[in-house]
Amino acid sequence: MEPSPAKGKPQGRLLVSTTLDAKDELEERLERCVGIVTSLTNGLSEREANDAITANVCKGPQQHEEVCLGLFALLLTEPPQAQRCYRDLTLVNRDGMNVILIKINQILMEKFLKLQDVCRTQLVWLVRELVKSGVIGADGILMTLMKQIAGGDITNKNLWLAENVLDILVEQREWVLKSGMLIAMSVYTYLRLIVDHGTPALLVLRQKEVDFCIGLLREKFMECFIIGRDLVRLLQIVARIPEMELLWKDLLHNPQALSPQFTGKGLLQLLTARTSRKFLACRLTPDMETKLLFMTSRVRFGQQKRYQDWFQRQYLSTAESQSLRCDLIRYICGVVHPSNEVLSSDILPRWAIIGWLLTTCTSNVAASNAKLALFYDWLFFSPEKDSIMNIEPAILVMHHSMKPHPAITATLLDFMCRIIPHFFPPLEGQVRQGVFNSLTFIMEKRVLAHLAPLFDNPKLDRELRSMLRERFPEFCSSPSPPTEGRDEGTNEMKMEESVSLEMDNHVLLDKEDGCYDNTEAAFSDDEEEINNKGNKKREFRFHPIKEAIIEEPADITPYVDQLDDMMKEKVLQLQKGSDTETHCEVMQEIVDLILEEDFDSEQMSTLASCLAELFKGHFRGDVLPDEITEESLEESVCKPVCLVFRNLCQMQEDNSGFSVLLEMLAELYQKQPKIGYHLLYYLKASKAAMGKMSLYESFAQATALGDLHTCLMMDMKACQEDDIRLLCYLTPSIYTEFPDETLRSAELLNMIVAVIDSTQLQELMCHVMIGNLVMFRKDSVLNILIQSLDWETFEQYSTWQLFLAHSIPLETIIPILQHLKYKEHPEALSCLLLQLRREKPSGEMVKMVLSRPCHPEDQFTTSILRHWAAKHDDVLGEHIKALLIKNNNLPRKRQSLRSSSSKLAQLTLEQILEHMDNLRLNLSNTKNSFFTQTPILQALQHVQASCDEAHKMRFSDLFSLAEEYEEPSSKPPKSRRKAPASSPRSRKGAATPVSNEEESASSSASEEEDSKPKAPKRKRKGSSAVASDSD
């Protein structure tokens, strides 16, 4: 759903924007150009309009650019005028469409995700037209457009883009064949996308992609050869598709069938060729690439969790996204090579990103492919051709995981050993040499001083250590005195980190129980399918080692000299000041300098670095006072950094200084992420900020994240990790002020219940009952409770307690029963059981309770039915009668299909009878008269008359209860004597059935139901002998 336009600010026609977005410069410029073209052509005929814009174009380069961009913008926003605008564009442009190609490239790289749907469609149409016209440079535009097709994404928009770009390539095949790079890039792209399109609904698209790739690979194989070794990796993944299998066999056994130049040694030549960065980068969208580069160049180690969570939510949260992890791995190994400056800093290392990605892969197929992607450059590594940076991530993730998580190291070492003979047996010698070269080069470059502590570590399984000694005896013996650290003057000094791989098929994790429990099955064997649903999943993550905090004086030397003289003076005063009052006075002066018109905004980042360093002590320790009073709260917000918050609260949003201060706060947020929840605390605790909580939304939009939900989740997560009391203090206001972001968020609720204790839980429940806090609403509570089923036991109990504190009808969430399994969800079942016993049964409740599969150990349904039978026997009897008659009237085949077509529990006649029989047995030794009620007996007679012999035999004891009902419910003898004379068919069609005094009129019973109890009784009398035999 598109955001609504801002009041007073018209919604642009090119880009989607929100009320808080500043007007986009590119959109503004294109709109001005549209105005120029419109003013030139308004009211003129087509010929006169052409003459006018041609004359204007001739005036100079500026006018030429304005007219071209105006026509370009009209083409994107006005589909009916597209043909005419493109024709005019081809006539008036004087630079071979260069100005248009530049703008298209800018939009594709920076604005594509924000494009309106109409504009996105028109942009693809324009690229198609440029290709048809053979415009020079159109191949580059098409390759940039292909980059926008996201891997691991089968949403409609992404599929539409993939199909339309493929159509352009197929339709303009002759033009495509003129560009060797376009051939290679399109083959690489669509070989990768084939993996994502394997569902039945996408087979038509996949077949088009397969035909396209096969055609180019067979016709232009040597052009595809420039891809290098990753071409083999992609073909290996799709080799089981029949057409691909034939090509794969030719590649291995008959290479000259693909090209005369591709001889028997060609495969080895292909595998030894390093894949260019262009290909590795083309499978990440510009947005993914920007976020990854930001993490590996700007985020400090230990502060990466919030960014990883954002990336996971955006790109790695679906089952289809499993395949994207290989692209990320190859990109980080082959493209992200940080400088020496970054390597020697505290910036997030590549192996830490590997650790994160290792824990998010849940598919065994994706796991195997991910491991291969990580070690792929090892297999044919040559020190002369390949870079140490490509192989360093794998060794470092094994090294850093050995002490805290030896199972990760074991899995990757096992994969490294087993890949040698299994990758391609004819080339086993070359693969062995490649891995040997990698390990040798790693030691030469001092990535690790020696490998014996890694290969011969007592934490590894004995069998694995034996295999390592057999494969790599040279690296298993202890060397002479090891050298600590590496040469800091070289590129290799602090080798990087790389994308992660999944664990291997061959590692036996049960031998590592001390490190991992079986629930973390992302690292299990491929052959060993672990039922994740049956275990509580805990997120596995790498934690930096927490060291004791040593107070060191703030060091702003690297930054302060970059400030102008006046600002530098104030910052130095801030550094020298000792008391809070002085700090606040100086900070106000700094804010005043920022708000001056001549303030150089380029200093903003440097100033933020200084302030983050000077105020780092303010972000340590608890924020919330021990005793919460008005005075203590006001005292707690009298910190220098809070002056920025106060100034923002005192300004109007349309004030020019407001955006400047927000920009400064956003810069500070990048250096010190705790600013976010400190702002939330200030807005709640300070009297000066009363009613200003919406300021946080403006702040979120100003940050690099640019999104309220993402920013709020990250700040609450940071608060959870730092100060649980503060988290509970903020919870009521967060839920009240941002209901759209919080009430649908299971993630936020889990943050809270994961850390609170019983006292804090009781306080939150009181807030709910007083009316200060609403954590659930009817439209989203069911979905949140379903998501909570994978949480820890206390987290689930807390969630249910908070839910029960609300006044939400139980019927709202009763469908959750269809998701609950007695062994896997005892927490939810026990809470529901206690709540249901307080309720008077409704039709929906009874239906959901009876929908549960029957199992000897699952007593849930019998327990609640017994309770209702004692307290509300008449209501329960009517509901069960209605369900029995309704399900009995359904054709058996339809019931069977319904029960097998869904993963959720479905109600069938057999299920109802099983539960009734269990209830009968449970009540057999009691004085309960539930089964003597008229509705129950009528329903049982109704079912028995039409069910098959197998069911009559199976539930004979249950049906026998209705035998006693025959005499009191019988009609005058005259009516019964007529019964045998008529056939069942004629009885079914009887016009006026005799009414039964004892029959209750349930809400769901129709005339047909009123008549049917009579027919079975007549039928039973005629077949009583059979009934008694079966008994």
Side-chain angles (χ1 to χ4, degrees):
M1 187 174 174
E2 292 183 3
S4 57
K7 291 182 180 177
K9 185 189 85 171
Q11 172 81 351
R13 301 186 61 194
L14 186 68
L15 305 177
V16 175
S17 61
T18 67
T19 55
L20 296 174
D21 286 337
K23 188 72 174 177
D24 187 82
E25 290 182 13
L26 174 62
E27 187 173 23
E28 216 166 25
R29 187 180 180 204
L30 290 177
E31 285 177 359
R32 285 199 303 271
C33 294
V34 168
I36 292 170
V37 171
T38 305
S39 65
L40 287 172
T41 60
N42 201 19
L44 301 181
S45 67
E46 196 169 314
R47 181 182 292 275
E48 290 170 339
N50 283 337
D51 292 342
I53 59 176
T54 303
N56 193 65
V57 161
C58 294
K59 291 180 181 178
Q62 183 180 344
Q63 288 78 6
H64 171 264
E65 186 172 347
E66 288 171 347
V67 169
C68 288
L69 292 180
L71 290 170
F72 169 62
L74 278 171
L75 186 151
L76 293 183
T77 56
E78 300 287 351
Q81 299 185 40
Q83 288 284 2
R84 181 182 62 77
C85 289
Y86 183 71
R87 184 199 63 204
D88 292 345
L89 200 52
T90 57
L91 291 173
V92 302
N93 87 88
R94 301 285 187 271
D95 62 353
M97 293 280 193
N98 191 50
V99 66
I100 300 301
L101 295 177
I102 290 171
K103 282 297 170 239
I104 293 176
N105 199 62
Q106 182 183 353
I107 289 174
L108 287 174
M109 293 299 291
E110 300 172 12
K111 314 288 182 186
F112 189 77
L113 294 178
K114 289 188 174 182
L115 274 183
Q116 301 270 12
D117 288 345
V118 171
C119 299
R120 187 182 286 111
T121 304
Q122 288 301 109
L123 186 62
V124 174
W125 178 86
L126 176 57
V127 173
R128 188 190 303 268
E129 294 302 311
L130 292 171
V131 170
K132 282 183 184 176
S133 304
V135 173
I136 296 174
D139 53 343
I141 294 296
L142 192 55
M143 285 188 275
T144 307
L145 185 59
M146 275 194 288
K147 187 176 172 68
Q148 283 291 354
I149 307 171
D153 181 356
I154 57 171
T155 57
N156 289 336
K157 281 186 180 180
N158 199 57
L159 292 173
W160 173 85
L161 183 60
E163 189 162 11
N164 275 269
V165 173
L166 181 60
D167 288 342
I168 295 173
L169 292 167
V170 172
E171 290 166 9
Q172 305 300 320
R173 182 180 174 82
E174 292 303 317
W175 174 82
V176 171
L177 295 180
K178 296 176 184 176
S179 170
M181 180 54 73
L182 180 59
I183 291 171
M185 196 70 77
S186 56
V187 165
Y188 188 88
T189 298
Y190 281 95
L191 273 178
R192 165 63 188 85
L193 292 176
I194 286 170
V195 180
D196 298 333
H197 302 158
T199 60
L202 301 177
L203 289 182
V204 174
L205 173 59
R206 190 180 81 167
Q207 191 57 47
K208 285 171 66 176
E209 293 167 339
V210 168
D211 293 343
F212 171 75
C213 292
I214 290 288
L216 286 183
L217 282 165
R218 288 200 175 276
E219 189 175 338
K220 294 286 182 180
F221 185 80
M222 294 315 293
E223 281 76 0
C224 301
F225 191 91
I226 63 172
I227 295 173
R229 60 174 65 117
D230 276 83
L231 174 61
V232 179
R233 182 178 63 85
L234 293 181
L235 285 171
Q236 192 174 358
I237 294 172
V238 298
R240 292 191 179 181
I241 297 172
E243 297 92 334
M244 288 293 181
E245 189 174 8
L246 292 174
L247 186 135
W248 180 249
K249 288 178 179 177
D250 283 344
L251 179 69
L252 298 181
H253 308 299
N254 188 20
Q256 289 191 309
L258 299 175
S259 170
Q261 300 160 268
F262 192 53
T263 61
K265 294 183 179 179
L267 179 61
L268 181 59
Q269 187 182 351
L270 184 59
L271 286 166
T272 54
R274 183 176 161 192
T275 298
S276 166
R277 293 183 175 196
K278 292 179 184 177
F279 296 105
L280 299 178
C282 83
R283 288 319 317 128
L284 268 64
T285 66
D287 189 58
M288 291 180 199
E289 200 169 0
T290 301
K291 298 298 188 297
L292 267 184
L293 290 174
F294 177 83
M295 280 197 281
T296 54
S297 62
R298 302 284 295 278
V299 176
R300 291 184 177 181
F301 186 43
Q303 298 178 356
Q304 70 270 27
K305 180 68 171 60
R306 58 193 302 144
Y307 303 99
Q308 291 172 351
D309 287 347
W310 183 93
F311 196 94
Q312 171 112 4
R313 276 196 305 274
Q314 192 79 1
Y315 298 114
L316 298 173
S317 59
T318 64
E320 299 79 28
S321 64
Q322 296 290 329
S323 62
L324 178 61
R325 287 163 174 77
C326 293
D327 302 331
L328 296 171
I329 290 168
R330 296 300 295 144
Y331 178 82
I332 295 182
C333 286
V335 180
V336 183
H337 293 172
S339 63
N340 280 344
E341 182 183 0
V342 172
L343 290 173
S344 58
S345 70
D346 60 352
I347 295 298
L348 177 65
R350 289 191 301 171
W351 63 262
I353 300 181
I354 294 179
W356 161 55
L357 286 172
L358 275 169
T359 64
T360 58
C361 195
T362 56
S363 157
N364 287 323
V365 174
S368 296
N369 292 335
K371 282 180 289 197
L372 183 61
L374 182 61
F375 281 99
Y376 206 58
D377 290 312
W378 288 53
L379 306 184
F380 297 91
F381 182 81
S382 167
E384 293 78 24
K385 296 180 183 178
D386 292 298
S387 168
I388 183 67
M389 302 299 275
N390 291 18
I391 61 171
E392 175 250 21
I395 198 70
L396 279 187
V397 76
M398 291 190 286
H399 170 71
H400 287 288
S401 303
M402 178 57 83
K403 287 185 180 178
H405 309 296
I408 293 180
T409 304
T411 301
L412 294 177
L413 285 172
D414 182 90
F415 179 85
M416 183 181 72
C417 291
R418 296 181 189 274
I419 195 68
I420 293 172
H422 294 139
F423 178 72
F424 185 47
L427 294 179
E428 181 181 348
Q430 287 85 344
V431 175
R432 186 186 304 278
Q433 187 61 46
V435 175
F436 181 84
N437 289 343
S438 302
L439 294 170
T440 304
F441 205 53
I442 282 166
M443 292 183 66
E444 284 178 7
K445 293 297 181 181
R446 314 290 296 170
V447 178
L448 293 182
H450 46 88
L451 297 174
L454 181 64
F455 284 7
D456 200 19
N457 196 296
K459 290 187 177 183
L460 298 178
D461 174 70
R462 183 181 300 173
E463 183 183 346
L464 176 58
R465 289 162 65 190
S466 173
M467 182 162 55
L468 284 165
R469 281 194 294 271
E470 180 186 338
R471 295 261 203 266
F472 309 108
E474 305 88 344
F475 304 107
C476 291
S477 54
S478 296
S480 48
T483 350
E484 297 290 336
R486 338 179 202 172
D487 180 6
E488 296 189 359
T490 68
N491 256 344
E492 302 81 27
M493 62 185 189
K494 176 190 174 184
M495 289 330 228
E496 294 201 328
E497 322 101 78
S498 160
V499 190
S500 64
L501 299 187
E502 277 306 273
M503 313 311 259
D504 189 57
N505 319 356
H506 315 291
V507 178
L508 302 177
L509 284 185
D510 56 348
K511 296 179 182 175
E512 303 293 345
D513 281 345
C515 185
Y516 295 106
D517 59 28
N518 290 333
T519 63
E520 291 171 321
F523 308 109
S524 67
D525 301 350
D526 286 358
E527 299 90 356
E528 186 182 330
E529 288 291 344
I530 292 188
N531 183 2
N532 288 325
K533 294 180 182 176
N535 299 298
K536 302 297 178 200
K537 294 181 185 175
R538 291 181 304 175
E539 185 180 2
F540 167 89
R541 57 177 81 103
F542 282 87
H543 289 292
I545 297 171
K546 292 184 178 180
E547 299 175 357
I549 297 173
I550 301 172
E551 288 289 349
E552 296 179 354
D555 180 16
I556 56 174
T557 311
Y559 315 109
V560 72
D561 290 334
Q562 300 174 38
L563 300 172
D564 62 32
D565 293 340
M566 191 170 294
M567 185 64 77
K568 179 178 178 181
E569 179 186 344
K570 298 298 178 190
V571 169
L572 290 173
Q573 284 181 28
L574 202 60
Q575 184 181 28
K576 292 172 185 174
S578 55
D579 61 289
T580 303
E581 189 175 346
T582 307
H583 281 160
C584 288
E585 289 173 1
V586 177
M587 188 64 203
Q588 183 59 53
E589 292 174 6
I590 289 174
V591 170
D592 293 339
L593 285 175
I594 293 172
L595 296 175
E596 290 181 1
E597 290 185 5
D598 59 349
F599 176 70
D600 183 5
S601 59
E602 292 183 2
Q603 295 186 77
M604 199 73 82
S605 178
T606 307
L607 176 61
S609 298
C610 291
L611 295 177
E613 182 67 22
L614 291 171
F615 295 149
K616 61 186 178 183
H618 295 174
F619 296 101
R620 294 197 186 114
D622 294 339
V623 179
L624 198 64
D626 292 334
E627 186 178 347
I628 299 177
T629 62
E630 287 189 11
E631 294 77 13
S632 63
L633 288 175
E634 281 299 324
E635 186 179 344
S636 69
V637 294
C638 290
K639 295 179 180 177
V641 74
C642 293
L643 271 167
V644 183
F645 304 156
R646 185 182 302 167
N647 279 271
L648 278 168
C649 290
Q650 293 168 352
M651 290 181 178
Q652 298 294 326
E653 291 197 15
D654 54 1
N655 188 318
S656 59
F658 183 81
S659 58
V660 175
L661 275 186
L662 270 186
E663 183 186 349
M664 203 275 285
L665 208 55
E667 286 288 343
L668 194 55
Y669 186 59
Q670 282 196 7
K671 323 292 182 192
Q672 176 51 270
K674 296 182 182 183
I675 280 286
Y677 72 77
H678 277 256
L679 173 59
L680 285 169
Y681 173 68
Y682 178 84
L683 293 174
K684 177 167 183 180
S686 173
K687 289 181 180 178
M690 191 173 294
K692 295 280 187 179
M693 189 62 82
S694 59
L695 175 64
Y696 179 80
E697 188 170 354
S698 303
F699 162 73
Q701 296 288 350
T703 63
L705 300 169
D707 173 61
L708 173 60
H709 178 80
T710 305
C711 198
L712 183 62
M713 293 304 113
M714 289 187 170
D715 289 338
M716 294 301 281
K717 184 64 177 173
C719 180
Q720 180 222 39
E721 292 171 351
D722 292 347
D723 192 341
I724 297 170
R725 284 184 66 240
L726 179 58
L727 178 73
C728 296
Y729 177 76
L730 291 176
T731 294
S733 56
I734 294 303
Y735 272 91
T736 303
E737 296 292 337
F738 308 112
D740 291 339
E741 311 301 328
T742 54
L743 290 175
R744 286 188 172 86
S745 176
E747 176 190 6
L748 176 60
L749 180 63
N750 186 233
M751 282 183 211
I752 297 167
V753 298
V755 293
I756 58 175
D757 58 25
S758 53
T759 304
Q760 291 160 336
L761 172 63
Q762 190 262 344
E763 289 173 0
L764 288 177
M765 291 173 66
C766 290
H767 279 300
V768 171
M769 298 188 71
I770 291 169
N772 294 340
L773 173 61
V774 176
M775 301 182 79
F776 300 101
R777 63 183 178 198
K778 288 183 181 180
D779 62 345
S780 56
V781 61
L782 177 60
N783 186 44
I784 289 178
L785 289 176
I786 290 171
Q787 291 183 59
S788 74
L789 297 177
D790 288 331
W791 300 353
E792 296 292 337
T793 293
F794 182 76
E795 296 168 12
Q796 288 194 57
Y797 279 131
S798 299
T799 300
W800 280 95
Q801 293 287 78
L802 290 169
F803 164 73
L804 295 175
H806 292 70
S807 300
I808 297 176
L810 193 64
E811 281 205 343
T812 306
I813 57 102
I814 200 66
I816 198 175
L817 271 173
Q818 295 178 293
H819 298 262
L820 303 182
K821 298 179 181 177
Y822 76 99
K823 280 190 175 179
E824 297 171 21
H825 307 121
E827 301 91 347
L829 284 169
S830 58
C831 291
L832 265 176
L833 187 64
L834 292 175
Q835 190 61 18
L836 281 169
R837 74 191 299 270
R838 298 187 180 97
E839 301 280 335
K840 183 177 180 180
S842 67
E844 185 66 15
M845 287 181 188
V846 176
K847 177 183 174 182
M848 288 298 165
V849 167
L850 291 173
S851 295
R852 293 188 56 73
C854 291
H855 193 282
E857 296 178 32
D858 184 6
Q859 297 295 316
F860 179 90
T861 300
T862 305
S863 303
I864 192 60
L865 288 179
R866 176 180 171 128
H867 176 78
W868 281 340
K871 299 290 184 183
H872 309 283
D873 56 342
D874 53 343
V875 178
L876 180 61
E878 290 293 344
H879 289 317
I880 290 179
K881 172 190 172 184
L883 290 170
L884 275 170
I885 293 176
K886 180 180 178 183
N887 281 271
N888 187 49
N889 291 339
L890 287 176
R892 297 288 179 266
K893 184 175 181 182
R894 182 175 165 191
Q895 287 195 43
S896 173
L897 288 173
R898 186 175 66 171
S899 63
S900 62
S901 63
S902 172
K903 292 181 181 177
L904 300 181
Q906 297 290 331
L907 185 61
T908 63
L909 178 64
E910 186 174 355
Q911 246 177 329
I912 302 176
L913 292 173
E914 282 186 293
H915 287 307
M916 294 286 287
D917 206 32
N918 288 339
L919 181 61
R920 177 188 63 79
L921 291 169
N922 193 270
L923 294 175
S924 59
N925 295 324
T926 69
K927 296 180 180 180
N928 191 292
S929 59
F930 178 73
F931 282 99
T932 63
Q933 295 183 89
T934 299
I936 294 295
L937 299 175
Q938 287 176 333
L940 289 175
Q941 283 189 343
H942 182 94
V943 172
Q944 185 184 18
S946 57
C947 70
D948 55 36
E949 291 301 321
H951 282 84
K952 287 179 182 177
M953 290 290 292
R954 183 177 175 188
F955 301 109
S956 58
D957 291 340
L958 183 63
F959 288 136
S960 69
L961 297 175
E963 292 288 344
E964 300 171 7
Y965 179 65
E966 188 170 348
E967 284 306 318
S969 68
S970 62
K971 303 300 175 224
K974 184 177 179 181
S975 299
R976 290 203 308 271
R977 281 196 299 271
K978 288 184 179 178
S982 58
S983 68
R985 186 181 299 274
S986 66
R987 290 200 303 272
K988 184 177 180 183
T992 311
V994 179
S995 62
N996 189 333
E997 292 177 0
E998 296 175 316
E999 184 173 349
S1000 301
S1002 78
S1003 59
S1004 63
S1006 63
E1007 289 183 7
E1008 181 185 358
E1009 291 168 9
D1010 290 335
S1011 65
K1012 284 187 179 178
K1014 180 183 176 187
K1017 282 181 279 183
R1018 290 196 294 269
K1019 185 175 179 184
R1020 283 183 50 78
K1021 189 170 180 69
S1023 59
S1024 59
V1026 177
S1028 70
D1029 288 346
S1030 67
D1031 291 341

